[in-house]
Amino acid sequence: MESKPKGKPEDLGPDAVLLQPIVATRSSFYILTMVFLGFTSLSCFAYLYQLRWGLGVTGLNVPMYWGIYITNFVFFIGISHAGTLISAILRICHAEWRRSITRAAEVITVIVLFFGVGSIIVDLGRPDRLLNVLLYPNFRSPLLWDVCSVSVYLMASSIYLYLPLIPDIAILRDYGGKYTWLYRLLALGWSGSERQQRILNKAISVMAVLVIPIAVSVHTVVSWVFGMTVQPMWHSTIFGPYFVVGAIFSGIASLIIAMALIRRIYFLQEYFKDIHFSHLGTLLMVFALLWFYFTFAENLTTFYGHEPAHLQVFYSKLTGRFAPLFWTMVVTCFVIPAGLLFHRRIRTVRNTVIASFSVLIGMYLERYTIVVPTLSLPRVPSDTVFYTPTWVEISITLGFGATFIFLYMLFTKFFPIVSIWEVQEGRKVALREARERIEAYTPHPTAGDLGTLETAQD
Amino acid sequence: MAFKVNRRDFLRFTAGGAAGLAASGVSLQGISTLNAAITAGERDVPRGPEAWSLSVCSLCPGGCGLRVRTIGKRAVKIQGNPLHPVSHGGLCPRGLAGLQLLYHPDRLVTPLENVGSRSNPEWREVSWEEAIAKVVARLQALKDHGQAHTLVFLSGRSGRLRQRLLRRFLQAYGSPNLLHAPTGLDSASRAVYLQQGMHEGLAYDLDRTRYLVSFGANLLEGWGSPVSTMRAFGRWRAAGGGQRAKFVQVDPRFSPTAARADEWIALRPGTEAALALGIAYVLITEGLHDAQFVEDHTFGFEDWRDGRGRMHMGFRSLVLREYRLNDVAALTQVPVETILRVAREFGGNRPALAIGGQVSSTLPGDPRAAMAVHSLNAMMGSLEVAGGALMRPELPGDSETRSGQGPTLPPSILQRDNSIFPEVDLTHLSQVIRSKSPYPVQALLTYGTDPVFSLPNGEELGEALQQVPFVVSFASFMDETAARADLILPDDSDLEKWQEAASPPTFPFLLQSISPPVIERVHNTRDTSEVILSVAEALGGNVASSLPESTVEGFLRAEADKILAGRSGYTFATQLEETWNRLLERSGWWAPTYSTADELWQEMKEKGGWWEPTYYYGEWGRVFRTSSHRFEFYSQRLAEYATRNREQVQAMGLDPDDDRFCLPHQVSLPTAPEGFPLLLIPVEVLPLMGGEGAELPYLQQIAGAHVFEHWESWLEMNPATAGQYGLQDRDQVWIESARGRARVRLRLYEGVRPGVVHLPLGYGREQGSEWGRRGVNPLKLIQTKPEPLTLLPQVSQTYVRVYRV
Amino acid sequence: MPRWGMVIDLAKCTACQACVVACQAENNVPCVEPEQAAKGRIISWLSVLPDLKGQYPNVLMRLMPLPCLHCDEPPCIRVCPVGATGITPEGIVRQTFPRCIGCRYCTNACPYTRRSFNWRLPDFPGELVQALNPDVSVRPKGVVEKCTLCHHRLLRAREQARAEDRPLAVGDYVPACVEICPAEAMYFGDLEDPNSKVSELAESARAFRYLEELGTEPKVVFLSEGEWAGGEQT
Ligand SMILES: Nc1nc2c(c(=O)[nH]1)N[C@H]1C(S)=C(S)[C@@H](COP(=O)(O)OP(=O)(O)OC[C@H]3O[C@@H](n4cnc5c(=O)[nH]c(N)nc54)[C@H](O)[C@@H]3O)O[C@H]1N2
Ligand SMILES: Nc1nc2c(c(=O)[nH]1)N[C@H]1C(S)=C(S)[C@@H](COP(=O)(O)OP(=O)(O)OC[C@H]3O[C@@H](n4cnc5c(=O)[nH]c(N)nc54)[C@H](O)[C@@H]3O)O[C@H]1N2
Ligand code: SF4
Ligand code: SF4
Ligand code: SF4
Ligand code: SF4
Ligand code: SF4
Ligand SMILES: [Mo]
C-alpha cells in the first residue's frame, strides 16, 4: 500500500490546501510585509544611531548597566524553546496529535534564535570587536558558554527543522511551480523510497533525542549568566530549571498564538483542530503551575534567608518601585492562564489564545524584573537612579519582534507550515501503530475484545 | 561640553545612516564607514620634554604648595609640594582642579572695554596699552581734582606681598580704601579684637591640641586653611600615634564635618553663646578652669571696681547667675548630661581649644557668641600655649603698610565712629555708594573677588555700581562684578604668574611662599600686580617713586629681602631638618642655610618659600593690646563704646550701664515671622566654597557627594519636616523668603534639623561660564538688615517657606 | 614578587574627595556634562560613598572612599568573555581597553560597582584637552574602564629604577590618590613584605575588608573609624 507522492497537487487530495499559501499570495500579505519591514528599517536606523553616539542614547546608566536588550535576549531564547523542545518531546512519546503542529513549532525556534543572538550584539559597546570572542575566548565566562550552547542549539534545531522538510520540499519540486530550482536543490533528490524513508525517520528520531538536552542546556546556561554572579537575587541555584520552565512556558504560548494565526489566515481549521489547542492549553496550564511553584519557592527562600542585600531587591519587587511590574507578571503568568485553562469547558480556543498572549506579556515582565531590580540595588551605597528605555531601545525591540513575524510569514510562503507527509503518514500508520502499542501493554490482548480497533482498521 | 544632537547633526546623521544602511550590507566601504562611526575620535595625547616646578595655590586662602608637571609648554598635572609646611604634599580637590581653571574654555583671554551701557554691556577687545592708558587717564584726572581718596580698591584673596604692593600704591596715590572680601575667620577675629585688642593673626595650634570643640566652624569643609586643618585632623587620629585628640562639632546640621567628628552636638541654631557659657558654668562650679592663668593674664573674670569706685559684674557672676545648666539646656535643646560631660572632658584634657561661634564662617556671625567661645580658651589657659589659640606675629615689612597709616589720608570709606569696629563690614558699601557719604565713590577696582555675587546683599551692590563713574575688574572670568564694569583687565592664572602667599588663616607660623611662573601665558592676560606697576609708573610723581620696581619679580624680590632683617626662620625643608632647626632655635641658635639676600631668594624659589617654624609663647605684650594688657572677659572696648554712644545704645533698647553689654552673652533669638516657618541656613561645600569653583567640572561633579548630588544646588530638608509639608525627595520646590524665591530640587537628609533647611553656597552665578551658571545663590534669599549694635547683616535669621512647584 | 595593596584609614579620612579628583586628573577620566550626570552616567574610578543611618539627631554617616579593591578573587574578571580584564602577577586587576567588547558583564559582576562604562565619546571641551596626562591613554567610547592602581606609575617607577640600576624602593611607586590625600589617610605598599606599613596596618585590630563575606579577598583594606579613648588628665 506504499504510494510515492506524484507531482500533482490533486494527488495530495484534501492536503492540497497546504500548498495554497505557497502558490497563491493575497495582497494582504504585501501590505503586512510593508508594515513589518517598516519596523525593521526603523530598528536598523535606531541601531546605526546607537553605533554613532554610543550606548549613551539608551536609558542605561550606573548601576543599571543592562536593560531591555538583555531582557529581549533572555526572552527570545526562551521563545525558542517552543519548537524544537516541544515537538521533540511529542515525537519521542509518539503523541499522534503532534503531526500537524510540529513544523509550525520548529520554525519558531530557528528564526527566533537569531534575534536572541542579535539582542546580545545590539547590547555591546563595541560590536566592531565581536570577533574578540573567538580570538581571545575566556571559557570561565558564562557568556562564552552561551555563545557555544546557543550556536550548537541553532545548528541542531536547523537540522531538526530541515530533515522533516525534505519530503515536502520534494513534493513542491515535483509540483513544479515557482523556484523549482531551489526546491530541487534542497530536496537532495528525495524519491521517497523505502530506504530513504527509513534513514529519514531514523535521523529524525536521533535528532529528536539530541536536541532535548541541548535545548535544556541552552536556557540553563542563559540563567547562569546571572546565577554565576554574586549579585543579590541573581546568585540562585534555582535559576537553571526556573529559566527552562519559563522558556518552555513562553514557548508553548507563542506556539499557540502562531497556530491560531495560521489557521485563521490560511483556513487550516482541519489541521489545527480545537483538540490541538485544548492539548496545548493543558500543557500551558501545567507550566503555569510549575512557573508559579518556582517563583514562589524562589521568593520565599529569599525572604526567609533575610540577607539584607537580597531583601532590598526582594522588597523593591514585592512592594517597592518594581511592584507594579512584578504583580502584573504574577497576574499575567499565573492568575489569568490558570483562570482560563483550569477546566475543559472554558478551555476554548479563544481563551487559550488569550491566555497565551497574557503569558507572553508576563514572561517578558519576568525577564525584566529579573534583570533590572538587582542592578538597581547594588550592595554599596548608591543613589536611586531610574531606568526607562529610550526610543532607540524601544524601536530596536519592536523591530526585532516585527522582523521575526515577517520572516515567519515568509517561511510559510516557501514551505508548507504543516508537514504534509507526516499528516499523510499519520492517516496510514497511526492507527496500526497505536493498536500495536496498546496491545503491547494490555494484558491478554486477544482474550478481551479489541475488535473495535480491528473494524476501524479497514 | 554639552552633548546635544542638534537638528543639523541629526539630519546629517540620518543621511549618513541611510547611506550606511544601504552600504553596510553589501560593500566593505559601508562596513568601514560603520567602524569609523564607532571608533570616531579615539584620542592620543601630546608628548614633549618633561619638567617639574613648584608653585602655590591661591584658589582659597589656604595657600598650599604645588608641584606642577609640565610637558613642553603644557602643564599636565598638579600635585602637592611635599616640602611645603602648610600642606606637606596634600591638596584639596579645588587645588587639584587648578588645571581646569588654567585651560578653562570660558576664561577671559584679553582686555575688554564695555562700549555698551552698564545695564546691558557690549564688550570690545582692547590692547593692554589702550586699557592701561584708560585707567591712568581716569586716575590722573581724579588725582588732579583732589578726588584721589574716592578711589576704592576691593581686594579678595591674594598674597601678602601683593597686598603690600596695593597698599603702597593706594597710599602714594592718596586713597585709604583698600577693602577686603569677607573671610571665614571674620567672626572669630572680631571677638579677638574685642577681647585681645588685635585684628589679625588669630591662629590655632590644631596639631597639638588634645580636645577641640568647634562651634559651627566646619573644620573639614574648608575652614581656615583647609589642607593644614585636614592634616591636623589626620594627625589626631594617627594610627598608634599617642592619645587621640577628641573633636566635638557643635552644629545644628549633621554636616560631613559633624559626621567625621568624635561627637556631634546638635543644638538649636543661634544658641552657641548659651552653650559655651553653659560649659563655662560647669568649669567654674567644678573648679576645672585654669585659675592661675585667669589670675595672671585676664581681666573681668571676677567682679571688679572701676576707677570711679563703681562695682562691675564679672564673667563668673554673669555665668553663675544666668547660665545654669537647666536654663542652658532648655534654650539650646542640648541635654544637661551632654553639656556636663563635654564640659568635664573639656576641662580634663589640656590643651583644649574652642573655636568658631558663628552661623556660617563665611557669613558674619554675632561677635558676642564668638566672645563666649573664645572665653573658654582663656578659662582653660589655652591662649599662647602649645595646642592653644595663638596670635601669629608679623613679618618684617608688614606693619609699615597697614592701611589707614602713612601720610595724611582721610578716613576709609567704611570707617564709622559710631561703630564698635574700626570698619563696618563690606555689606555697607552699596549704601555708602548710594548715599555718597562720607564721600562719593568715583572709581572702583575689584581684584580676586566677586562681591556682587558673594556679598549677602550683592544685588544691591550691583545696582549701586551703576552710580560709580568708573569700574574696573581684574577678574579672570566674566563674574557678576566684572559684568558690571567699564573695563576688564583679566589677571593671569596661578601657574602663569609669580605666585606668593602668606601664612594662611589659622596657621600659627610666619610663612612666605614664593614661586616663579610655571608656564608661559596661554592667553593675552596680565598679572594684575604688573598692571598696577605700569599704572604707577605712568602716574609718575610720588606714586611712581613709591614703587620703583619695574617688574613683579623685582618687587617681590625687594620685599622678600626684608625677611633677612628678622634674623630668624628657614627656607622650606624636610621634616627632619625642621625638627632639628626647632631644637636649635629653642636653645637660642639660628643657623639658616642662607646668609645673603641672594641666597635667600634662590633658596625660596627652589624650595617654595621661607618660614619661621618656631612659635614664641607668652609674648603677652604682643598678643594683648587691650587697655588692661590682658585678655578681657569684660571688653573695655565695648565699655568705652557704650560711654561714647550712650543714646545710640539706649535707642537699641539696651542699657549702656548694664555690664552684660560688655560681657559675652546670649542674644535673644528672633522668632519665625508669620507664614515663613522654616529657618534657612546656607552651608558651604568644600569644592565650591567662595563660588569660584563653580565653573570647574571636576568640582561640580563632587560637590554634593553626601546626598549624591552634582551639577545642581539642592535644598536639604529633614524627612519629618518634608512629611509635614507633604513634600517628597527630588521634588522641584520653591523656596521663598521675604526677599524673593528660587526654584530648586529638594533632597531629604536625616542630618538636617527639623524646622531648618540648608542651601549650599557657591551656586547660582548668572554670568560667565555656563558650567558655573547652575543652581541658586542662597544669599539672594538671605536677610541682610544690619543688626543695630554690630552693624552686621543678620544672616542667621532668614526664615522661608517651601512649597512644591 | 610584590602584592600591591592599599589601606584606607576611615578614622583619618576627612571625606574631602581630593583623591577622587586626583584620580580623574591622573587618569584622564572624563567629566560628564550635567545632562549625562543627571542620568547617572558619571565615570569615577574612585568615589566617596555616604552610608547614612538613623534619624536626627541620632544619625551616623560613614563616608567611604572606594576605589577598585583589586580583589584577589575578583568576580569581575571571571565573567569577561574575552579576557579583557585580568589580574597581573602582582595582583593588580587590569583592564585592557583595546580588547573590551563593552558587554558590561564585569560591571554587573563587581559587587562594589567599581567599574565604569564609556557611554559616549569622552568629551574634553575646548582647551581642557590640553590638561590630559600623556602617560595615560584616553579611552574610546563603548568600553569599560576602572582603577588601574595607577599602573602607569609602576611602569615609570620601574624604568626609573632600572635607569639608576637599583631595585624598586619603597615609595617609588605611589598611586595619585594616595599621594595627594591631605589627611594622609591612605597607605600604599607591598602586602607580601611583612614589615611594610600596609601589611602592618592590614593586620591591625581596626582593619576590615569591605563585603569580605563575598570571598572577594580585597587588597584594599579599610581601618574602621575607631573611637576616642577618653583619657582624663590629673
Ligand atoms: N577648598 C576650599 N576651601 C576653602 C575655601 C574655598 O573657597 N575652597 N574658602 C576658604 C574660605 S574663604 C572660608 S571663609 C572658609 C569657610 O569654611 P567654614 O569656616 O567651614 O565655613 P562653613 O563651611 O560655612 O561652616 C559653617 C557651618 O556652620 C554650621 N552652622 C550654620 N548655622 C549655625 C549655627 O547657628 N550654629 C552652629 N553652631 N553652626 C551653624 C553650618 O551648618 C556649617 O556646617 O573655608 C576656606 N576654605
Ligand atoms: N554665594 C556665595 N557667597 C559667598 C561665599 C560662597 O561660598 N557663596 N563664600 C563667602 C566667603 S567664605 C568668602 S571668603 C567670600 C569670598 O568671595 P570672593 O572673594 O568674591 O570669592 P569668589 O566668589 O570665589 O570670587 C573670586 C573671583 O575672583 C576671580 N578670580 C579667580 N581667580 C582669579 C585670579 O587668579 N586673579 C584674579 N584677579 N581674579 C581671580 C574670579 O572671577 C572669581 O569670581 O564670599 C563669601 N560669600
Ligand atoms: S586648600 Fe585652598 S589653597 Fe589649598 S589646595 Fe585647596 S584651594 Fe588650594
Ligand atoms: S583624599 Fe584622603 S581624606 Fe580626602 S577623601 Fe580621599 S582619603 Fe579621605
Ligand atoms: S572591586 Fe570590583 S572591579 Fe575591582 S577587582 Fe573587585 S570585583 Fe573587580
Ligand atoms: S565589558 Fe569589557 S571587560 Fe567587561 S566583561 Fe565585557 S568585555 Fe570584559
Ligand atoms: S589608584 Fe590610581 S587609579 Fe586607582 S583610584 Fe587611586 S588614583 Fe585612581
Ligand atoms: Mo571665605
Side-chain angles (χ1 to χ4, degrees), chain B residues 57-66 86-87 90-96 225-228 230 686:
Chain B
C57 177
S58 64
L59 297 184
C60 93
C64 302
L66 304 179
V86 171
S87 52
L91 290 180
C92 87
R94 188 186 180 92
L96 280 163
S225 174
V227 166
S228 60
M230 293 193 270
L686 176 68

Side-chain angles (χ1 to χ4, degrees), chain B residues 362-441:
Chain B
T362 57
L363 308 168
D366 186 316
R368 284 156 295 191
M371 277 170 78
V373 172
H374 197 41
S375 301
L376 291 177
N377 294 326
M379 289 180 76
M380 294 312 301
S382 298
L383 302 180
E384 298 303 307
V385 295
L390 312 175
M391 291 310 269
R392 197 187 315 113
E394 284 181 346
L395 192 66
D398 278 350
S399 39
E400 87 202 24
T401 53
R402 279 269 152 278
S403 64
Q405 290 188 6
T408 63
L409 288 183
S412 128
I413 206 161
L414 291 182
Q415 271 177 46
R416 301 274 182 288
D417 31 23
N418 70 341
S419 149
I420 297 176
F421 307 103
E423 289 194 352
V424 290
D425 110 295
L426 202 58
T427 48
H428 291 260
L429 182 58
S430 47
Q431 217 286 328
V432 168
I433 295 175
R434 263 192 271 96
S435 64
K436 301 200 172 12
S437 80
Y439 44 83
V441 175

Side-chain angles (χ1 to χ4, degrees), chain C residues 6-11 62-66 69 112 201-213 217-226:
Chain C
M6 198 189 287
V7 174
I8 303 178
D9 187 340
L10 295 177
R62 167 172 278 175
L63 289 148
M64 200 179 201
L66 203 63
L69 302 186
Y112 307 92
L201 291 174
E203 298 312 316
S204 74
R206 285 194 292 131
F208 72 94
R209 286 153 184 77
Y210 191 36
L211 297 183
E212 166 172 50
E213 64 275 19
E217 297 180 20
K219 280 196 294 297
V220 174
V221 180
F222 291 89
L223 304 184
S224 65
E225 287 81 352

Side-chain angles (χ1 to χ4, degrees), chain A residues 138-282:
Chain A
N138 165 23
F139 287 98
R140 291 163 76 201
S141 168
L143 219 46
L144 209 75
W145 308 345
D146 269 335
V147 174
C148 304
S149 56
V150 170
S151 33
V152 173
Y153 186 42
L154 184 55
M155 262 182 297
S157 37
S158 311
I159 299 171
Y160 184 65
L161 165 68
Y162 177 60
L163 290 178
L165 251 176
I166 297 175
D168 288 1
I169 296 177
I171 295 176
L172 288 159
R173 172 197 59 196
D174 307 344
Y175 166 66
K178 279 190 255 110
Y179 313 114
T180 317
W181 58 271
L182 173 72
Y183 297 126
R184 176 161 299 106
L185 206 70
L186 295 174
L188 305 174
W190 173 265
S191 63
S193 69
E194 282 287 349
R195 195 166 140 284
Q196 284 182 334
Q197 288 279 7
R198 229 181 309 103
I199 297 172
L200 182 67
N201 288 328
K202 186 114 218 82
I204 293 182
S205 35
V206 170
M207 283 313 292
V209 176
L210 260 183
V211 290
I212 292 177
I214 298 178
V216 171
S217 81
V218 167
H219 226 70
T220 312
V221 173
V222 168
S223 83
W224 285 348
V225 168
F226 306 96
M228 293 296 165
T229 68
V230 290
Q231 302 303 41
M233 289 205 77
W234 275 6
H235 186 52
S236 154
T237 50
I238 209 178
F239 262 33
Y242 188 24
F243 272 49
V244 174
V245 165
I248 304 174
F249 193 25
S250 55
I252 300 168
S254 42
L255 173 57
I256 292 175
I257 294 169
M259 283 165 55
L261 291 174
I262 296 167
R263 107 168 180 167
R264 193 28 116 43
I265 298 169
Y266 298 137
F267 314 103
L268 298 181
Q269 286 76 358
E270 265 309 305
Y271 296 82
F272 300 152
K273 294 211 163 101
D274 294 6
I275 180 75
H276 289 112
F277 288 89
S278 167
H279 283 342
L280 286 174
T282 326

